[in-house]
Amino acid sequence: MAVSYKRLMHLMIEQDVSNAQLMRDANISANIIKKIKTGQYMALDKIESICTALNCTPNDILEFLPDEKEETK
């Protein structure tokens, strides 16, 4: 399965939170921002830090997408 952080990006826009502000508030690195933008997996502790900073749940910031191969089965 693939992961999508589009929900996180929308939430950041709604809350007017920049990448730099999220990095400070959640104590995450630029590498994590890159993972968000490219849809890569990240450690659960980073998800927790982001959720704490934005006062949300993991369901509010990410979703799992089925692989294309799985859709054709």
Side-chain angles (χ1 to χ4, degrees):
M1 290 196 143
V3 65
S4 170
Y5 299 103
K6 286 183 182 180
R7 292 178 180 179
L8 171 57
M9 292 183 263
H10 288 288
L11 186 61
M12 288 174 64
I13 291 168
E14 288 173 7
Q15 294 187 12
D16 196 27
V17 175
S18 68
N19 291 339
Q21 184 178 350
L22 182 63
M23 288 170 58
R24 282 190 306 272
D25 294 347
N27 195 27
I28 58 173
S29 67
N31 186 42
I32 297 299
I33 298 296
K34 181 180 176 187
K35 287 183 178 194
I36 291 167
K37 290 183 177 188
T38 58
Q40 297 177 16
Y41 287 98
M42 68 177 98
L44 187 56
D45 65 324
K46 301 305 178 191
I47 299 289
E48 181 182 8
S49 296
I50 292 168
C51 288
T52 300
L54 296 176
N55 192 29
C56 65
T57 68
N59 194 47
D60 295 327
I61 66 169
L62 64 87
E63 68 180 315
F64 291 104
L65 305 172
D67 291 331
E68 290 180 20
K69 294 179 221 172
E70 293 177 11
E71 290 178 2
T72 58
K73 288 184 179 179

